[in-house]
Amino acid sequence: MSTHSAQRIDTVEAIIVDLPLVREQRFAALDARSQSMVLLILNTREGIQGIGEASLPSGPWWGGESVESIKANVDSYFAPLLIGEDAFAIDGILSKLDDAIYGNSFAKAGIEMALLDIQGKALDQPVYNLLGGKQRDSLPVAWPLATGDAAAEIDEAREKLDKRLHDTFKLKMGAMAPEADVERACRVAQELEGLAKVRCDPNGRWDETTARWALPRLVDAGVDLIEQPLPRWNLEGCARLTRECPIAHMLDESVCSLQDMQRAAELRAGSLISLKIMKTGGMRRTKTLSEMALAAGIPIYMGTFLESSFGTGANMQFCATLRDLPYGGELSGPLLVAESITEQSPEYRDFELHLQAGVGLGVTIDRDKLAAFRRDRNYSLHAVRK
Ligand code: MN
């Protein structure tokens, strides 16, 4: 294909998919046993299909959207605005969507992902070449420890280390009382000292006094990064904590939009920024956000919402365009989700996730798996649980 023609969007379909997890995941807000996402399937009149994945960390507690809200809004409000548009006109499409639909960054990110997949396929190029080109082939990937039981978490970490899958672990915190949570984290960090890096993420559940009490204890135990201990709105508090924090203080919930990033940079509210395509409304905006962070001298990190094998492949296309990730990232979804929905298997080895070759997003949906796990086929989690 030497020249490209427009790729006009003809159909837009949103499919909710429910996948079981290999074990329960205890977030600050809830205990999850399955992971749901929306696949956004766009077909062009010219015959190309692009797919995006809007993934959420088990319901609306993190970002306000749910798989149900995404499907409802895409069916009723996004689709009529998309049909007839040229998939190459991403900035224009996103502006049009922003004018008509407030928020909904997860849905917008899933749509943008499908548009980029169409572009890549039309141009016979991987998506990373549409985003500035490849600067890395792999990403060091942290593993979430999220059962709340320190002894079991230490065993889980040792198993991951033995298999050379992960040498960095992130404790999901905030579900327990701070005293018990900090004791748990210190025990895990001390037990793994010299073997692995241990990090803590209370998902904004602590107040400043608690964070100030916890921080020196965690640092003493060897924790090398604390993520979003304070509520997302408390940027001034985050800035105060950053000033006294001898380890990386990463902002996640506090930095979703470009405006959030600008304000975080002005206040020096964090010393590391977690990038997530979903929270910022797409790969291109996340790239801009990353450039704003780097321009302010604040390093970046590749975060996750526990995407499927498809969404993880897509995230890796974006991640491949990032040069320096001093603390790595955590695209570990496919190892926590018990079922793959792609024809390709994500490649985890030597503590890293490796980029997959291919055009577009480099991943293709396994149609049989999609048929089995789509919610509108009355799939029941209990039917496949062992
Ligand atoms: Mn987080």
Side-chain angles (χ1 to χ4, degrees), residues 233-281:
W233 51 265
N234 192 2
L235 273 186
E236 288 80 4
C238 291
R240 285 187 285 272
L241 203 63
T242 298
R243 282 198 285 275
E244 58 193 71
C245 189
I247 56 172
H249 175 210
M250 181 159 76
L251 300 184
D252 182 8
E253 284 91 333
S254 283
V255 176
C256 294
S257 67
L258 302 184
Q259 290 78 9
D260 290 342
M261 185 61 238
Q262 188 173 5
R263 194 154 158 65
E266 278 164 17
L267 291 171
R268 313 304 295 180
S271 53
L272 186 65
I273 301 292
S274 179
L275 305 178
K276 293 178 178 174
I277 290 164
M278 293 289 126
K279 68 179 182 178
T280 308

mmCIF file of all heavy atoms in Angstrom, residues 233-281:
data_model
loop_
_atom_site.group_PDB
_atom_site.id
_atom_site.type_symbol
_atom_site.label_atom_id
_atom_site.label_comp_id
_atom_site.label_asym_id
_atom_site.label_seq_id
_atom_site.Cartn_x
_atom_site.Cartn_y
_atom_site.Cartn_z
ATOM 1 N N TRP A 233 -7.251 14.809 45.566
ATOM 2 C CA TRP A 233 -7.472 16.259 45.518
ATOM 3 C C TRP A 233 -6.430 17.030 46.313
ATOM 4 O O TRP A 233 -6.285 18.232 46.143
ATOM 5 C CB TRP A 233 -8.877 16.595 46.057
ATOM 6 C CG TRP A 233 -9.144 15.968 47.406
ATOM 7 C CD1 TRP A 233 -9.778 14.782 47.641
ATOM 8 C CD2 TRP A 233 -8.738 16.470 48.692
ATOM 9 N NE1 TRP A 233 -9.800 14.502 48.994
ATOM 10 C CE2 TRP A 233 -9.175 15.527 49.661
ATOM 11 C CE3 TRP A 233 -8.055 17.615 49.118
ATOM 12 C CZ2 TRP A 233 -8.945 15.699 51.022
ATOM 13 C CZ3 TRP A 233 -7.826 17.782 50.475
ATOM 14 C CH2 TRP A 233 -8.271 16.823 51.423
ATOM 15 N N ASN A 234 -5.692 16.356 47.200
ATOM 16 C CA ASN A 234 -4.812 17.064 48.134
ATOM 17 C C ASN A 234 -3.409 17.266 47.564
ATOM 18 O O ASN A 234 -2.419 16.752 48.084
ATOM 19 C CB ASN A 234 -4.761 16.301 49.457
ATOM 20 C CG ASN A 234 -4.098 17.112 50.570
ATOM 21 O OD1 ASN A 234 -3.717 18.269 50.358
ATOM 22 N ND2 ASN A 234 -3.950 16.512 51.733
ATOM 23 N N LEU A 235 -3.332 18.058 46.475
ATOM 24 C CA LEU A 235 -2.030 18.273 45.828
ATOM 25 C C LEU A 235 -1.070 19.043 46.723
ATOM 26 O O LEU A 235 0.134 18.795 46.698
ATOM 27 C CB LEU A 235 -2.220 19.027 44.506
ATOM 28 C CG LEU A 235 -2.507 18.185 43.260
ATOM 29 C CD1 LEU A 235 -2.512 19.073 42.037
ATOM 30 C CD2 LEU A 235 -1.496 17.062 43.098
ATOM 31 N N GLU A 236 -1.593 19.996 47.504
ATOM 32 C CA GLU A 236 -0.721 20.751 48.428
ATOM 33 C C GLU A 236 -0.128 19.795 49.469
ATOM 34 O O GLU A 236 1.046 19.879 49.815
ATOM 35 C CB GLU A 236 -1.493 21.883 49.109
ATOM 36 C CG GLU A 236 -1.841 23.049 48.193
ATOM 37 C CD GLU A 236 -3.066 22.806 47.308
ATOM 38 O OE1 GLU A 236 -3.716 21.734 47.445
ATOM 39 O OE2 GLU A 236 -3.372 23.673 46.476
ATOM 40 N N GLY A 237 -0.970 18.898 49.975
ATOM 41 C CA GLY A 237 -0.482 17.884 50.924
ATOM 42 C C GLY A 237 0.561 16.986 50.281
ATOM 43 O O GLY A 237 1.581 16.644 50.889
ATOM 44 N N CYS A 238 0.315 16.614 49.028
ATOM 45 C CA CYS A 238 1.290 15.788 48.290
ATOM 46 C C CYS A 238 2.625 16.518 48.187
ATOM 47 O O CYS A 238 3.695 15.910 48.331
ATOM 48 C CB CYS A 238 0.777 15.473 46.886
ATOM 49 S SG CYS A 238 -0.641 14.362 46.839
ATOM 50 N N ALA A 239 2.568 17.827 47.943
ATOM 51 C CA ALA A 239 3.799 18.622 47.820
ATOM 52 C C ALA A 239 4.543 18.659 49.152
ATOM 53 O O ALA A 239 5.773 18.533 49.196
ATOM 54 C CB ALA A 239 3.459 20.038 47.350
ATOM 55 N N ARG A 240 3.808 18.825 50.258
ATOM 56 C CA ARG A 240 4.455 18.816 51.587
ATOM 57 C C ARG A 240 5.130 17.468 51.833
ATOM 58 O O ARG A 240 6.261 17.403 52.312
ATOM 59 C CB ARG A 240 3.409 19.103 52.686
ATOM 60 C CG ARG A 240 2.973 20.562 52.753
ATOM 61 C CD ARG A 240 2.076 20.825 53.963
ATOM 62 N NE ARG A 240 0.723 20.318 53.802
ATOM 63 C CZ ARG A 240 -0.291 20.998 53.240
ATOM 64 N NH1 ARG A 240 -0.084 22.226 52.792
ATOM 65 N NH2 ARG A 240 -1.488 20.463 53.136
ATOM 66 N N LEU A 241 4.438 16.392 51.466
ATOM 67 C CA LEU A 241 4.993 15.050 51.689
ATOM 68 C C LEU A 241 6.227 14.818 50.810
ATOM 69 O O LEU A 241 7.220 14.235 51.250
ATOM 70 C CB LEU A 241 3.915 13.999 51.396
ATOM 71 C CG LEU A 241 4.105 12.644 52.054
ATOM 72 C CD1 LEU A 241 4.057 12.763 53.582
ATOM 73 C CD2 LEU A 241 3.041 11.660 51.577
ATOM 74 N N THR A 242 6.163 15.291 49.561
ATOM 75 C CA THR A 242 7.306 15.122 48.646
ATOM 76 C C THR A 242 8.562 15.763 49.227
ATOM 77 O O THR A 242 9.656 15.209 49.123
ATOM 78 C CB THR A 242 6.983 15.741 47.268
ATOM 79 O OG1 THR A 242 5.869 15.042 46.710
ATOM 80 C CG2 THR A 242 8.163 15.644 46.314
ATOM 81 N N ARG A 243 8.387 16.927 49.869
ATOM 82 C CA ARG A 243 9.555 17.638 50.411
ATOM 83 C C ARG A 243 10.266 16.836 51.491
ATOM 84 O O ARG A 243 11.477 16.959 51.661
ATOM 85 C CB ARG A 243 9.125 19.014 50.955
ATOM 86 C CG ARG A 243 8.908 20.038 49.843
ATOM 87 C CD ARG A 243 8.914 21.463 50.365
ATOM 88 N NE ARG A 243 7.698 21.805 51.074
ATOM 89 C CZ ARG A 243 6.573 22.235 50.481
ATOM 90 N NH1 ARG A 243 6.526 22.363 49.167
ATOM 91 N NH2 ARG A 243 5.514 22.533 51.201
ATOM 92 N N GLU A 244 9.514 16.021 52.243
ATOM 93 C CA GLU A 244 10.178 15.274 53.325
ATOM 94 C C GLU A 244 10.361 13.787 53.012
ATOM 95 O O GLU A 244 10.748 13.013 53.867
ATOM 96 C CB GLU A 244 9.428 15.457 54.643
ATOM 97 C CG GLU A 244 7.988 15.038 54.613
ATOM 98 C CD GLU A 244 7.239 15.558 55.856
ATOM 99 O OE1 GLU A 244 7.001 16.780 55.954
ATOM 100 O OE2 GLU A 244 6.927 14.728 56.697
ATOM 101 N N CYS A 245 10.054 13.419 51.759
ATOM 102 C CA CYS A 245 10.083 12.003 51.391
ATOM 103 C C CYS A 245 11.437 11.642 50.777
ATOM 104 O O CYS A 245 11.790 12.137 49.708
ATOM 105 C CB CYS A 245 8.959 11.733 50.389
ATOM 106 S SG CYS A 245 8.717 9.997 50.030
ATOM 107 N N PRO A 246 12.235 10.767 51.440
ATOM 108 C CA PRO A 246 13.555 10.428 50.900
ATOM 109 C C PRO A 246 13.508 9.391 49.773
ATOM 110 O O PRO A 246 14.527 9.109 49.153
ATOM 111 C CB PRO A 246 14.289 9.854 52.124
ATOM 112 C CG PRO A 246 13.210 9.275 52.972
ATOM 113 C CD PRO A 246 11.961 10.089 52.717
ATOM 114 N N ILE A 247 12.315 8.804 49.545
ATOM 115 C CA ILE A 247 12.169 7.854 48.429
ATOM 116 C C ILE A 247 11.209 8.447 47.402
ATOM 117 O O ILE A 247 10.663 9.531 47.622
ATOM 118 C CB ILE A 247 11.641 6.472 48.931
ATOM 119 C CG1 ILE A 247 10.315 6.643 49.681
ATOM 120 C CG2 ILE A 247 12.688 5.781 49.807
ATOM 121 C CD1 ILE A 247 9.620 5.332 50.044
ATOM 122 N N ALA A 248 11.012 7.753 46.292
ATOM 123 C CA ALA A 248 10.114 8.263 45.251
ATOM 124 C C ALA A 248 8.687 8.358 45.781
ATOM 125 O O ALA A 248 8.178 7.424 46.399
ATOM 126 C CB ALA A 248 10.165 7.332 44.038
ATOM 127 N N HIS A 249 8.060 9.506 45.558
ATOM 128 C CA HIS A 249 6.650 9.708 45.909
ATOM 129 C C HIS A 249 5.888 9.834 44.589
ATOM 130 O O HIS A 249 5.956 10.861 43.921
ATOM 131 C CB HIS A 249 6.503 10.978 46.761
ATOM 132 C CG HIS A 249 5.078 11.323 47.075
ATOM 133 N ND1 HIS A 249 4.660 12.627 47.264
ATOM 134 C CD2 HIS A 249 3.972 10.544 47.223
ATOM 135 C CE1 HIS A 249 3.359 12.634 47.524
ATOM 136 N NE2 HIS A 249 2.915 11.388 47.499
ATOM 137 N N MET A 250 5.232 8.740 44.201
ATOM 138 C CA MET A 250 4.596 8.701 42.876
ATOM 139 C C MET A 250 3.136 9.122 42.958
ATOM 140 O O MET A 250 2.381 8.633 43.793
ATOM 141 C CB MET A 250 4.692 7.285 42.290
ATOM 142 C CG MET A 250 4.065 7.175 40.902
ATOM 143 S SD MET A 250 4.683 5.754 39.990
ATOM 144 C CE MET A 250 3.803 4.415 40.795
ATOM 145 N N LEU A 251 2.753 10.012 42.045
ATOM 146 C CA LEU A 251 1.348 10.421 41.936
ATOM 147 C C LEU A 251 0.664 9.573 40.875
ATOM 148 O O LEU A 251 1.191 9.395 39.775
ATOM 149 C CB LEU A 251 1.240 11.903 41.566
ATOM 150 C CG LEU A 251 1.869 12.887 42.549
ATOM 151 C CD1 LEU A 251 1.598 14.319 42.091
ATOM 152 C CD2 LEU A 251 1.348 12.677 43.970
ATOM 153 N N ASP A 252 -0.498 9.050 41.229
ATOM 154 C CA ASP A 252 -1.295 8.279 40.274
ATOM 155 C C ASP A 252 -2.662 8.960 40.125
ATOM 156 O O ASP A 252 -2.881 9.726 39.176
ATOM 157 C CB ASP A 252 -1.426 6.829 40.760
ATOM 158 C CG ASP A 252 -2.199 5.947 39.798
ATOM 159 O OD1 ASP A 252 -2.506 6.406 38.677
ATOM 160 O OD2 ASP A 252 -2.524 4.794 40.148
ATOM 161 N N GLU A 253 -3.572 8.752 41.096
ATOM 162 C CA GLU A 253 -4.898 9.357 41.024
ATOM 163 C C GLU A 253 -4.835 10.880 40.874
ATOM 164 O O GLU A 253 -5.721 11.476 40.244
ATOM 165 C CB GLU A 253 -5.717 9.010 42.275
ATOM 166 C CG GLU A 253 -6.267 7.593 42.308
ATOM 167 C CD GLU A 253 -5.323 6.593 42.998
ATOM 168 O OE1 GLU A 253 -4.099 6.837 42.987
ATOM 169 O OE2 GLU A 253 -5.830 5.573 43.517
ATOM 170 N N SER A 254 -3.837 11.528 41.469
ATOM 171 C CA SER A 254 -3.756 12.993 41.435
ATOM 172 C C SER A 254 -3.464 13.545 40.049
ATOM 173 O O SER A 254 -3.708 14.727 39.790
ATOM 174 C CB SER A 254 -2.655 13.499 42.379
ATOM 175 O OG SER A 254 -3.093 13.457 43.710
ATOM 176 N N VAL A 255 -2.879 12.732 39.175
ATOM 177 C CA VAL A 255 -2.518 13.232 37.847
ATOM 178 C C VAL A 255 -3.188 12.382 36.774
ATOM 179 O O VAL A 255 -2.701 11.314 36.399
ATOM 180 C CB VAL A 255 -0.989 13.266 37.645
ATOM 181 C CG1 VAL A 255 -0.649 13.699 36.222
ATOM 182 C CG2 VAL A 255 -0.346 14.224 38.640
ATOM 183 N N CYS A 256 -4.352 12.867 36.324
ATOM 184 C CA CYS A 256 -5.071 12.209 35.228
ATOM 185 C C CYS A 256 -5.004 13.066 33.970
ATOM 186 O O CYS A 256 -4.622 12.600 32.910
ATOM 187 C CB CYS A 256 -6.524 11.951 35.611
ATOM 188 S SG CYS A 256 -6.715 10.749 36.953
ATOM 189 N N SER A 257 -5.371 14.349 34.098
ATOM 190 C CA SER A 257 -5.441 15.225 32.920
ATOM 191 C C SER A 257 -4.140 16.011 32.730
ATOM 192 O O SER A 257 -3.275 16.046 33.613
ATOM 193 C CB SER A 257 -6.592 16.214 33.098
ATOM 194 O OG SER A 257 -6.283 17.100 34.171
ATOM 195 N N LEU A 258 -4.037 16.680 31.595
ATOM 196 C CA LEU A 258 -2.882 17.550 31.341
ATOM 197 C C LEU A 258 -2.874 18.712 32.334
ATOM 198 O O LEU A 258 -1.809 19.161 32.769
ATOM 199 C CB LEU A 258 -2.922 18.075 29.906
ATOM 200 C CG LEU A 258 -2.946 17.005 28.805
ATOM 201 C CD1 LEU A 258 -2.885 17.663 27.434
ATOM 202 C CD2 LEU A 258 -1.788 16.023 28.967
ATOM 203 N N GLN A 259 -4.067 19.183 32.701
ATOM 204 C CA GLN A 259 -4.154 20.272 33.691
ATOM 205 C C GLN A 259 -3.660 19.797 35.059
ATOM 206 O O GLN A 259 -2.983 20.544 35.767
ATOM 207 C CB GLN A 259 -5.598 20.780 33.791
ATOM 208 C CG GLN A 259 -6.094 21.536 32.568
ATOM 209 C CD GLN A 259 -6.480 20.614 31.407
ATOM 210 O OE1 GLN A 259 -6.549 19.397 31.539
ATOM 211 N NE2 GLN A 259 -6.737 21.210 30.256
ATOM 212 N N ASP A 260 -4.002 18.557 35.422
ATOM 213 C CA ASP A 260 -3.479 17.983 36.676
ATOM 214 C C ASP A 260 -1.954 17.988 36.648
ATOM 215 O O ASP A 260 -1.295 18.297 37.648
ATOM 216 C CB ASP A 260 -3.925 16.515 36.839
ATOM 217 C CG ASP A 260 -5.412 16.348 37.111
ATOM 218 O OD1 ASP A 260 -6.075 17.332 37.513
ATOM 219 O OD2 ASP A 260 -5.906 15.215 36.921
ATOM 220 N N MET A 261 -1.388 17.602 35.497
ATOM 221 C CA MET A 261 0.068 17.503 35.381
ATOM 222 C C MET A 261 0.716 18.867 35.526
ATOM 223 O O MET A 261 1.755 19.023 36.192
ATOM 224 C CB MET A 261 0.438 16.851 34.039
ATOM 225 C CG MET A 261 1.929 16.595 33.869
ATOM 226 S SD MET A 261 2.624 15.478 35.108
ATOM 227 C CE MET A 261 3.895 16.515 35.836
ATOM 228 N N GLN A 262 0.084 19.857 34.887
ATOM 229 C CA GLN A 262 0.622 21.216 34.963
ATOM 230 C C GLN A 262 0.677 21.692 36.416
ATOM 231 O O GLN A 262 1.675 22.234 36.886
ATOM 232 C CB GLN A 262 -0.257 22.144 34.134
ATOM 233 C CG GLN A 262 0.320 23.532 33.984
ATOM 234 C CD GLN A 262 -0.496 24.368 33.024
ATOM 235 O OE1 GLN A 262 -1.548 23.948 32.537
ATOM 236 N NE2 GLN A 262 -0.030 25.556 32.753
ATOM 237 N N ARG A 263 -0.417 21.453 37.141
ATOM 238 C CA ARG A 263 -0.496 21.899 38.530
ATOM 239 C C ARG A 263 0.473 21.095 39.424
ATOM 240 O O ARG A 263 1.109 21.661 40.313
ATOM 241 C CB ARG A 263 -1.944 21.738 39.009
ATOM 242 C CG ARG A 263 -2.228 22.439 40.260
ATOM 243 C CD ARG A 263 -3.687 22.837 40.429
ATOM 244 N NE ARG A 263 -3.957 23.034 41.849
ATOM 245 C CZ ARG A 263 -3.416 23.985 42.589
ATOM 246 N NH1 ARG A 263 -2.581 24.867 42.052
ATOM 247 N NH2 ARG A 263 -3.693 24.084 43.878
ATOM 248 N N ALA A 264 0.571 19.802 39.158
ATOM 249 C CA ALA A 264 1.500 18.969 39.942
ATOM 250 C C ALA A 264 2.934 19.444 39.733
ATOM 251 O O ALA A 264 3.737 19.449 40.668
ATOM 252 C CB ALA A 264 1.360 17.502 39.547
ATOM 253 N N ALA A 265 3.246 19.852 38.503
ATOM 254 C CA ALA A 265 4.601 20.346 38.222
ATOM 255 C C ALA A 265 4.839 21.684 38.921
ATOM 256 O O ALA A 265 5.901 21.900 39.510
ATOM 257 C CB ALA A 265 4.800 20.485 36.715
ATOM 258 N N GLU A 266 3.852 22.566 38.881
ATOM 259 C CA GLU A 266 3.988 23.876 39.543
ATOM 260 C C GLU A 266 4.241 23.717 41.034
ATOM 261 O O GLU A 266 5.082 24.408 41.612
ATOM 262 C CB GLU A 266 2.696 24.686 39.373
ATOM 263 C CG GLU A 266 2.572 25.407 38.044
ATOM 264 C CD GLU A 266 1.136 25.864 37.779
ATOM 265 O OE1 GLU A 266 0.317 25.909 38.719
ATOM 266 O OE2 GLU A 266 0.854 26.159 36.610
ATOM 267 N N LEU A 267 3.507 22.792 41.653
ATOM 268 C CA LEU A 267 3.601 22.612 43.111
ATOM 269 C C LEU A 267 4.705 21.647 43.507
ATOM 270 O O LEU A 267 4.966 21.472 44.691
ATOM 271 C CB LEU A 267 2.269 22.067 43.648
ATOM 272 C CG LEU A 267 1.064 22.997 43.617
ATOM 273 C CD1 LEU A 267 -0.209 22.240 43.959
ATOM 274 C CD2 LEU A 267 1.263 24.147 44.603
ATOM 275 N N ARG A 268 5.344 20.989 42.532
ATOM 276 C CA ARG A 268 6.268 19.874 42.824
ATOM 277 C C ARG A 268 5.564 18.893 43.762
ATOM 278 O O ARG A 268 6.075 18.511 44.814
ATOM 279 C CB ARG A 268 7.579 20.362 43.466
ATOM 280 C CG ARG A 268 8.256 21.541 42.800
ATOM 281 C CD ARG A 268 8.563 21.323 41.355
ATOM 282 N NE ARG A 268 9.539 20.270 41.086
ATOM 283 C CZ ARG A 268 9.936 19.926 39.870
ATOM 284 N NH1 ARG A 268 9.442 20.550 38.808
ATOM 285 N NH2 ARG A 268 10.796 18.957 39.684
ATOM 286 N N ALA A 269 4.385 18.475 43.346
ATOM 287 C CA ALA A 269 3.533 17.663 44.226
ATOM 288 C C ALA A 269 3.997 16.213 44.330
ATOM 289 O O ALA A 269 3.648 15.533 45.285
ATOM 290 C CB ALA A 269 2.079 17.712 43.741
ATOM 291 N N GLY A 270 4.761 15.756 43.343
ATOM 292 C CA GLY A 270 5.258 14.380 43.386
ATOM 293 C C GLY A 270 6.643 14.327 42.777
ATOM 294 O O GLY A 270 7.072 15.262 42.093
ATOM 295 N N SER A 271 7.359 13.205 43.010
ATOM 296 C CA SER A 271 8.689 13.069 42.408
ATOM 297 C C SER A 271 8.695 12.000 41.317
ATOM 298 O O SER A 271 9.752 11.658 40.786
ATOM 299 C CB SER A 271 9.725 12.745 43.486
ATOM 300 O OG SER A 271 9.314 11.633 44.249
ATOM 301 N N LEU A 272 7.528 11.470 40.986
ATOM 302 C CA LEU A 272 7.393 10.444 39.949
ATOM 303 C C LEU A 272 5.914 10.440 39.541
ATOM 304 O O LEU A 272 5.050 10.637 40.385
ATOM 305 C CB LEU A 272 7.798 9.084 40.531
ATOM 306 C CG LEU A 272 7.887 7.862 39.622
ATOM 307 C CD1 LEU A 272 8.989 8.029 38.584
ATOM 308 C CD2 LEU A 272 8.159 6.600 40.454
ATOM 309 N N ILE A 273 5.654 10.243 38.249
ATOM 310 C CA ILE A 273 4.268 10.277 37.758
ATOM 311 C C ILE A 273 3.928 8.934 37.116
ATOM 312 O O ILE A 273 4.644 8.461 36.233
ATOM 313 C CB ILE A 273 4.069 11.387 36.702
ATOM 314 C CG1 ILE A 273 4.417 12.775 37.272
ATOM 315 C CG2 ILE A 273 2.644 11.374 36.136
ATOM 316 C CD1 ILE A 273 3.490 13.290 38.344
ATOM 317 N N SER A 274 2.810 8.341 37.541
ATOM 318 C CA SER A 274 2.339 7.102 36.927
ATOM 319 C C SER A 274 1.495 7.430 35.699
ATOM 320 O O SER A 274 0.494 8.144 35.798
ATOM 321 C CB SER A 274 1.505 6.306 37.932
ATOM 322 O OG SER A 274 1.021 5.123 37.328
ATOM 323 N N LEU A 275 1.918 6.921 34.546
ATOM 324 C CA LEU A 275 1.169 7.121 33.300
ATOM 325 C C LEU A 275 0.185 5.970 33.121
ATOM 326 O O LEU A 275 0.546 4.812 33.299
ATOM 327 C CB LEU A 275 2.119 7.122 32.096
ATOM 328 C CG LEU A 275 3.287 8.096 32.083
ATOM 329 C CD1 LEU A 275 4.115 7.862 30.813
ATOM 330 C CD2 LEU A 275 2.816 9.535 32.160
ATOM 331 N N LYS A 276 -1.043 6.314 32.751
ATOM 332 C CA LYS A 276 -2.028 5.289 32.384
ATOM 333 C C LYS A 276 -2.866 5.840 31.241
ATOM 334 O O LYS A 276 -3.466 6.919 31.370
ATOM 335 C CB LYS A 276 -2.936 4.945 33.570
ATOM 336 C CG LYS A 276 -2.226 4.252 34.720
ATOM 337 C CD LYS A 276 -3.191 4.003 35.872
ATOM 338 C CE LYS A 276 -2.499 3.273 37.013
ATOM 339 N NZ LYS A 276 -3.384 3.161 38.199
ATOM 340 N N ILE A 277 -2.889 5.096 30.151
ATOM 341 C CA ILE A 277 -3.595 5.545 28.957
ATOM 342 C C ILE A 277 -5.070 5.849 29.253
ATOM 343 O O ILE A 277 -5.631 6.817 28.760
ATOM 344 C CB ILE A 277 -3.479 4.452 27.871
ATOM 345 C CG1 ILE A 277 -2.039 4.378 27.370
ATOM 346 C CG2 ILE A 277 -4.426 4.715 26.711
ATOM 347 C CD1 ILE A 277 -1.753 3.102 26.590
ATOM 348 N N MET A 278 -5.679 5.008 30.099
ATOM 349 C CA MET A 278 -7.113 5.127 30.376
ATOM 350 C C MET A 278 -7.462 6.406 31.127
ATOM 351 O O MET A 278 -8.446 7.060 30.842
ATOM 352 C CB MET A 278 -7.594 3.933 31.213
ATOM 353 C CG MET A 278 -7.549 2.616 30.490
ATOM 354 S SD MET A 278 -8.817 2.528 29.211
ATOM 355 C CE MET A 278 -7.805 2.097 27.802
ATOM 356 N N LYS A 279 -6.647 6.761 32.120
ATOM 357 C CA LYS A 279 -7.039 7.898 32.955
ATOM 358 C C LYS A 279 -6.866 9.222 32.213
ATOM 359 O O LYS A 279 -7.474 10.222 32.564
ATOM 360 C CB LYS A 279 -6.267 7.905 34.283
ATOM 361 C CG LYS A 279 -4.776 8.184 34.179
ATOM 362 C CD LYS A 279 -4.105 8.196 35.568
ATOM 363 C CE LYS A 279 -2.627 8.534 35.446
ATOM 364 N NZ LYS A 279 -1.944 8.609 36.751
ATOM 365 N N THR A 280 -6.018 9.242 31.184
ATOM 366 C CA THR A 280 -5.721 10.488 30.471
ATOM 367 C C THR A 280 -6.478 10.576 29.140
ATOM 368 O O THR A 280 -6.379 11.559 28.426
ATOM 369 C CB THR A 280 -4.190 10.629 30.286
ATOM 370 O OG1 THR A 280 -3.577 10.472 31.561
ATOM 371 C CG2 THR A 280 -3.781 11.975 29.738
ATOM 372 N N GLY A 281 -7.246 9.557 28.799
ATOM 373 C CA GLY A 281 -8.086 9.631 27.599
ATOM 374 C C GLY A 281 -7.361 9.275 26.315
ATOM 375 O O GLY A 281 -7.748 9.753 25.249
#
